[in-house]
Every structure is written in C-alpha cells, then in structure tokens.
Amino acid sequence: MPLRTVRPAAPRAWTVELRSQSGRLVMTCQQCPLASRPVTAASARSAVLAHLARHARGDLRAPHLRTCHCHERGCRWHRRHRGCDGPIRLLLACERGGRVWRLVDACGACAAATDQAAVVPDTAIVGSLHPTSTRPRRPRLMRGPGEHVRVGEILSYLAVALPSEVSAEARLLALQCALRMNAQMRVALPAGVLHSLRVGAAQACRELEQARWLRLDDPPGTAGTAAQLLDAALLAQPPARPDRRRAADWALRTGCPARIGVAEPQMQLLGTSLIAHTDPSSREGLRESDRVLRDCGMPEHELARVLNRLADSGVLERWQICPRSGDVHWTLTRRR
Ligand SMILES: [Zn+2]
Ligand SMILES: [Zn+2]
Ligand SMILES: [Zn+2]
C-alpha cells in the first residue's frame, strides 16, 4: 500500500473483539483500548453493535469526504475483485464466528465481496449528518432507494445483526420493527400489522428479546404490541419516514400468505427476500445461495424444498442453483 503523506482524518474503520479472559468474556476495541469491559454472552452482540455505532455517529462525514477504507487497508478482508466501485457505505462485518466485528466505510464492490457482512441501511447513520437546527426544512424530495431495495438491505443487515438461529417468524417481525420505528427507536405494531404478518407474534417477540434486539413494552395482544428496539446500529434514523413506512407496507403485501400461498414463515421470508432482489424489468434475480440462506436464517438443506414450494404456489416461474458457483437464479411469474 502506498504511504500517504497527508491523512485528512482518522479512518472510518472500527474493530471490536470479544475475548475470553480468565473465564470471562471481555469486549475490546482496537480504537479505544481503555474501553475494554466484561460482557455476558447474551449481551455481547448488542454491546458490540452499540459500541461500533457510537464510533460511526461520532465521526459523521459528508458523502464526498468518504473513501473506501477497505481499499486503504489493502482489501484483505475479502476475496479478490476487479477493484473499488460503487457508492461508499458503512459495512458491518463479523468474523471468526462472531468474535471479531468491524464497521468500515467500504465501496459497493468491496461490500459485495465481503463474507458475513451487510451494508448498514443508509437511513441509519447518515440521517443525523445535519444537526436538527440546520437541517433543511424540506429534507429531500428524492425518495431514496425503492421499497424493494430498502427491504433487501434491512434483511441483509438483520442477517448480520441477529444470531443465526433466530427463526423466519422473528426475522419477519424484526423487519417490520426496523422499518416502522421512530427516532427514539420505539415501535408500535398495531394488531392489523401483526394479523397481516401471520406469525406467532408472542414467540417471535420472545426470540428477539432473548437476542437482546428489543425489549417489549406491551406483549402482543388484541391492541397489537409495543417495543423498544435495542439495536444501536439502527439508531438515529429519522422519525418514521414515509418511504420507510412504504417499504414496511410493501414487505407486508409481498410476503403475505394470500400472495405467497401458504402461511409458512420460511416461504414468506424467502419469497420476500427473492422478490426484493429481483430486477423488476426482467423479473429475474441472481444471488449467492450463502447470502440467501443467511438473510433467511435458513439451513442449507431447506433451500431447495422452500424454492420448490414457492414455484408450486405460483411465486416463481423457475429457479435453479448453479452447481459450480452456488448462485441461485430465479424468475418470478408474470402476475407479480
Ligand atoms: Zn471503540
Ligand atoms: Zn476492499
Ligand atoms: Zn473498495
């Protein structure tokens, strides 16, 4: 790597590690060694995400000042690719079975080549770049990414932020929470939303509570449910913006059993994920099967069965898994 004589600012790259020290789990940050502290196994993930998010929020930069810090570190976190390309986004990556976590500014090409990683949905941290007083009255006329792009990004983000054993039902619920939360990270899901989701809300909430992803204020009941989200990396989203709400409604309509066919949460989640990653003009999609599995928290042996069921219920026209690359190719039926 060439030596740089002028370094405008500290790199936007932070790494936190979880180590066992004399029988205890200790969280250490490479950027602030004095911040080491013991954590419990259950709270480790949320403590790590909270710490990393604090770094990112403490170092907000205008988009034109952000560079690919993955490249500046020699691109040693991912397989080779053709070179940096695409917009710079914050990438959350996890290595060594959840022992090492990294938040870094990376370009689209580096982000796509990094395993066990997800782009932090843009609204998460960029939103607070302008202090409230100087923020323009009409923030933006542009709507940001389309509903399906936003839903795909949040599912990928949840794949890294939630433990892999979290069920499809809980992921569907978490998606709705992440898209509908307000600026204080509180979310109220009315009974209608829970009903449309068709998931066992009580069990799904319990799972997300056990993962320390949320804390329930009101358990699911006839009036719906209310919760405080604890995922600090999602913090600082502007309050329930119409485009996020539209994305939440899109996910609800797309994944609902009436469209997918059967109320099986794995089908709802895989269907939503595939549709979110489909090119709307060609109705075709292509993704590495590893990423598909991770986004849906699905074991490998289930994939073909659930893809077949999506084809049987008329969501997919055809699908195949390329034996050499492991990529899943699919085409949606025309009625969508
Ligand atoms: Zn730190
Ligand atoms: Zn790179
Ligand atoms: Zn790059």
Side-chain angles (χ1 to χ4, degrees):
M1 200 174 79
L3 210 67
R4 294 180 62 156
T5 46
V6 183
R7 193 161 201 101
R12 278 174 50 91
W14 305 276
T15 306
V16 168
E17 214 171 313
L18 293 166
R19 292 194 192 129
S20 292
Q21 271 174 17
S22 41
R24 291 189 313 174
L25 197 58
V26 175
M27 178 178 94
T28 56
C29 173
Q30 285 182 6
Q31 281 68 39
C32 38
L34 295 177
S36 291
R37 65 180 178 91
V39 288
T40 64
S43 67
R45 184 179 289 256
S46 56
V48 166
L49 294 182
H51 188 88
L52 288 173
R54 213 168 307 137
H55 275 298
R57 282 200 305 280
D59 183 5
L60 295 170
R61 279 178 221 177
H64 69 278
L65 296 176
R66 292 172 65 184
T67 54
C68 180
H69 285 289
C70 178
H71 176 72
E72 291 185 19
R73 303 283 179 96
C75 280
R76 56 194 156 89
W77 295 312
H78 55 76
R79 61 184 181 274
R80 286 168 65 103
H81 61 63
R82 285 208 191 128
C84 289
D85 193 18
I88 307 295
R89 308 276 302 270
L90 257 182
L91 187 70
L92 175 67
C94 152
E95 280 175 13
R96 294 201 266 147
R99 291 275 160 167
V100 176
W101 292 80
R102 189 173 57 245
L103 194 62
V104 59
D105 261 358
C107 72
C110 289
T114 309
D115 290 329
Q116 297 284 304
V119 166
V120 178
D122 237 357
T123 46
I125 289 162
V126 182
S128 50
L129 196 57
H130 304 281
T132 326
S133 55
T134 64
R135 203 177 284 171
R137 269 273 169 82
R138 294 191 128 256
R140 3 171 249 170
L141 292 171
M142 261 175 57
R143 280 226 223 126
E147 286 90 352
H148 64 285
V149 175
R150 202 177 281 287
V151 167
E153 282 185 351
I154 296 216
L155 283 177
S156 295
Y157 172 74
L158 291 174
V160 178
L162 289 175
S164 58
E165 64 272 14
V166 166
S167 71
E169 289 187 290
R171 281 170 205 275
L172 286 164
L173 189 74
L175 173 67
Q176 289 296 320
C177 290
L179 288 168
R180 292 180 194 271
M181 74 178 194
N182 68 13
Q184 285 74 45
M185 297 180 69
R186 304 190 82 82
V187 64
L189 296 180
V193 169
L194 292 182
H195 180 74
S196 308
L197 263 180
R198 302 283 173 92
V199 298
Q203 171 59 24
C205 284
R206 231 182 343 264
E207 276 187 62
L208 294 175
E209 248 186 339
Q210 272 162 9
R212 307 270 171 132
W213 194 78
L214 56 70
R215 190 180 55 238
L216 281 181
D217 295 331
D218 297 316
T222 45
T225 187
Q228 172 72 48
L229 304 196
L230 306 174
D231 183 334
L234 284 172
L235 189 64
Q237 284 201 97
R241 283 193 340 203
D243 58 344
R244 279 199 289 127
R245 215 161 262 241
R246 267 198 301 275
D249 291 339
W250 181 90
L252 212 53
R253 282 196 311 274
T254 304
C256 83
R259 302 234 167 163
I260 300 277
V262 188
E264 187 190 322
Q266 277 196 332
M267 275 174 74
Q268 289 180 57
L269 184 58
L270 182 63
T272 305
S273 167
L274 294 184
I275 297 166
H277 287 99
T278 300
D279 172 4
S281 57
S282 66
R283 294 180 289 122
E284 285 175 14
L286 163 67
R287 278 193 100 206
E288 292 162 45
S289 51
D290 287 359
R291 284 180 196 262
V292 175
L293 291 169
R294 214 153 44 83
D295 287 5
C296 299
M298 185 183 281
E300 197 179 348
H301 65 269
E302 285 282 285
L303 183 59
R305 181 188 71 83
V306 184
L307 283 167
N308 271 331
R309 296 207 59 188
L310 286 172
D312 291 345
S313 60
V315 176
L316 301 182
E317 193 172 285
R318 66 177 93 88
W319 65 269
Q320 76 176 80
I321 298 173
C322 173
R324 247 186 307 166
S325 63
D327 290 342
V328 188
H329 299 247
W330 68 91
T331 308
L332 298 185
T333 50
R334 197 171 286 279
R335 74 183 166 95
R336 299 195 150 268

